[in-house]
Amino acid sequence: ACVTETYPPEVNGVSLTVARVVEGLHRRNHDVQLVRPRQDSRDEADRSVRFHEVLMRGLPIPRYPNLRMGAPSKRALVQLWSLHRPDVVHIATEGPLGWSALQAARHLKLPVSTDFRTNFHAYSRHYGIGWLHKPIMAYLRKFHNRTLCTMTPDEGLRRNLTDYGFRNVAVVARGVDTELFNPGKR
């Protein structure tokens, strides 16, 4: 199961990265369950062979009216994963849906991994709430330290997180789509 608060057609680094991971797993014949918020009333879950999308209730994101984050959903996820138990739960985002997924997976004793791709703690200063830096870092550390592994895209961020007390941080580098980006397409 892959849990994310953002996914295409939203265009951002996290949504596109998660989509590539899901596509890669699917191409390698893994059964993939994607759990994400419903973005609007026209949003429909995709279901195909070995792929099952689960749309959860969403809430508007402050300052981003066109985007929605997942609502707390622990009970629904416990129910879902009791019926369709995944081998592993990978959580790509640390919002309310991600926290619910972490709690549900721990309740069901499922292994959990996470991504750390967005520097929320650094963005707090940009958005004028730098005074929240320490509480944000405390939440992120608590969230990620409850998992078996936190994946980050580069060694610098891995060191930074380790310095902040994060455990079990591994580098999973960003890749390049060599079909889309290659010298023949110049």
Side-chain angles (χ1 to χ4, degrees):
C2 186
V3 181
T4 182
E5 314 254 355
T6 182
Y7 198 75
E10 295 171 20
V11 178
N12 62 60
V14 175
S15 75
L16 298 176
T17 298
V18 173
R20 291 290 185 178
V21 168
V22 167
E23 290 164 9
L25 290 168
H26 197 216
R27 272 197 315 273
R28 288 166 181 80
N29 295 318
H30 291 277
D31 292 334
V32 179
Q33 179 189 76
L34 175 66
V35 179
R36 67 174 182 85
R38 179 181 304 279
Q39 289 299 326
D40 64 37
S41 60
R42 299 177 309 264
D43 200 359
E44 293 186 26
D46 184 9
R47 289 197 173 97
S48 58
V49 176
R50 308 193 82 155
F51 181 75
H52 179 212
E53 194 171 33
V54 179
L55 301 182
M56 308 299 282
R57 193 167 57 90
L59 303 168
I61 298 176
R63 296 185 180 213
Y64 295 94
N66 296 333
L67 299 178
R68 301 180 72 74
M69 64 182 163
S73 307
K74 178 184 174 188
R75 184 179 304 155
L77 291 171
V78 167
Q79 190 173 30
L80 172 68
W81 292 337
S82 293
L83 296 172
H84 305 283
R85 188 176 180 86
D87 295 321
V88 64
V89 174
H90 180 73
I91 304 170
T93 54
E94 304 97 336
L97 182 58
W99 180 259
S100 296
L102 176 59
Q103 296 306 307
R106 288 172 54 97
H107 175 80
L108 295 169
K109 297 181 177 22
L110 293 167
V112 181
S113 62
T114 56
D115 273 347
F116 191 106
R117 298 198 171 268
T118 305
N119 296 324
F120 290 111
H121 58 294
Y123 293 161
S124 65
R125 291 186 186 103
H126 173 75
Y127 286 107
I129 54 171
W131 53 274
L132 286 176
H133 176 80
K134 284 186 180 180
I136 290 170
M137 282 307 293
Y139 168 77
L140 293 171
R141 184 174 43 251
K142 179 179 179 180
F143 182 93
H144 289 284
N145 282 349
R146 291 176 178 222
T147 70
L148 296 174
C149 175
T150 296
M151 298 174 223
T152 192
D154 61 60
E155 180 59 30
L157 185 54
R158 188 201 67 76
R159 274 194 312 271
N160 183 260
L161 294 177
T162 301
D163 290 346
Y164 274 114
F166 287 65
R167 297 185 301 267
N168 304 317
V169 182
V171 174
V172 177
R174 294 178 181 99
V176 175
D177 182 340
T178 57
E179 297 289 320
L180 186 60
F181 299 98
N182 70 62
K185 294 196 176 189
R186 287 191 176 148

